Amino acid sequence: MKYRMIYDLHTHTVFSHGKGTIEDNVKAAVEKGLETIGIADHGPGHLTYGVKRENFPVMRKEVERLKPLYPQIQLKLCVEANIMNPSGRLDTGKEEERWLDAVLAGYHYGIFGEAPVRALFLHGGNLLRLGACKKANTERVLKALYENKIEILTHPGDKGVFDIEPIARACAERGTLMEISTWHKALTVEDIRICAKTQAEFVISSDAHTPERVGTFEEGLARALEAGLDPARIVNIREI
């Protein structure tokens, strides 16, 4: 049985820490036969490679310039916002989101937000994979899901210890897709099995940092099949 990817909303460019331009990613998506390509560079709160806030209108202008040049594919300007704040607030707000078509969000190191000392200790514990961080990690993700409209929760469970079942239930309730990343190892096979017991839906993303990785999905699909997930629950994969 063979499958193809319909869309890939999670790709990075030189506006954060990707290696290609927006147009480079679009060209790669066209070559892969995708119907939609998303540009989702890191949110502006990330200390080392977040998008500069003033670049969101620049990126929007570039997306609009490219649309008539590539009519065979739909272009979406997204962001991979950062989850850290105890309040649930992301590092993008109305000023940035007015330029965007969709918000993706995930937990990353390098974001300190509204409680920087607490964030520093949490990042340190997560680097050591300390189970003591599980409650705080899970609470921050849940709060972000309920306080924001997040289309995709990126690489859930990555970079720390999380209670994945309540996160999956929250995603199902909020209509947020759970990402099976081909760049990270999250969702893991075991986490997919846990999430599959809920009503959550899934999406495979390349999380491409170079244009040639745009549209890659095979490793993520293999992980999902190993977990016994029905491919029909992966919204951007179609059987051919």
Side-chain angles (χ1 to χ4, degrees):
M1 199 172 293
K2 294 184 178 180
Y3 296 86
R4 72 182 185 97
M5 176 182 264
I6 304 301
Y7 64 82
D8 187 4
L9 294 189
H10 189 177
T11 75
H12 294 279
T13 73
V14 292
F15 281 98
S16 59
H17 66 329
K19 303 300 182 185
T21 65
I22 293 176
E23 188 167 12
D24 289 335
N25 284 15
V26 172
K27 287 179 178 178
V30 169
E31 290 175 3
K32 294 286 183 69
L34 299 184
E35 296 178 8
T36 303
I37 176 68
I39 306 301
D41 281 304
H42 281 278
H46 199 287
L47 291 182
T48 56
Y49 44 73
V51 175
K52 291 182 173 63
R53 294 184 191 275
E54 61 266 26
N55 276 338
F56 283 105
V58 176
M59 297 171 76
R60 180 82 257 172
K61 183 177 180 180
E62 175 65 358
V63 165
E64 295 305 316
R65 182 187 75 83
L66 293 172
K67 283 182 178 180
L69 300 181
Y70 299 91
Q72 67 272 57
I73 190 167
Q74 184 178 5
L75 280 64
K76 288 191 175 185
L77 181 58
C78 309
V79 69
E80 187 183 13
N82 292 288
I83 293 174
M84 169 48 65
N85 291 323
S87 69
R89 182 173 56 87
L90 301 174
D91 61 335
T92 52
K94 291 182 179 179
E95 179 62 29
E96 293 80 31
E97 291 174 9
R98 67 193 180 99
W99 302 106
L100 304 173
D101 298 307
V103 173
L104 290 60
Y107 168 68
H108 303 88
Y109 308 132
I111 174 79
F112 292 90
E114 61 197 15
V117 175
R118 291 164 66 186
L120 178 63
F121 279 101
L122 189 61
H123 290 322
N126 284 328
L127 282 165
L128 296 172
R129 306 292 295 190
L130 297 181
C133 298
K134 184 176 184 177
K135 184 173 184 290
N137 288 337
T138 304
E139 286 176 348
R140 279 163 172 73
V141 172
L142 291 174
K143 190 71 172 175
L145 286 168
Y146 284 106
E147 293 294 325
N148 305 277
K149 175 54 181 172
I150 298 173
E151 183 155 338
I152 297 174
L153 181 64
T154 60
H155 41 74
D158 188 45
K159 296 180 171 62
V161 182
F162 295 77
D163 190 352
I164 203 69
E165 185 176 359
I167 291 173
R169 285 191 269 105
C171 284
E173 184 175 335
R174 295 290 293 162
T176 299
L177 299 171
M178 302 196 77
E179 180 184 77
I180 302 171
S181 174
T182 64
W183 180 257
H184 301 276
K185 295 301 180 183
L187 292 163
T188 65
V189 170
E190 182 56 34
D191 282 347
I192 294 172
R193 288 184 179 130
I194 293 170
C195 297
K197 296 176 183 178
T198 74
Q199 297 301 309
E201 291 191 309
F202 303 83
V203 62
I204 296 179
S205 298
S206 69
D207 196 352
H209 290 63
T210 57
E212 57 266 23
R213 288 201 71 258
V214 169
T216 56
F217 69 94
E218 293 82 1
E219 193 276 335
L221 179 59
R223 207 184 312 147
L225 294 175
E226 182 182 347
L229 181 69
D230 181 354
R233 293 181 66 181
I234 305 173
V235 299
N236 64 333
I237 298 297
R238 297 289 183 273
E239 185 180 344
I240 57 175

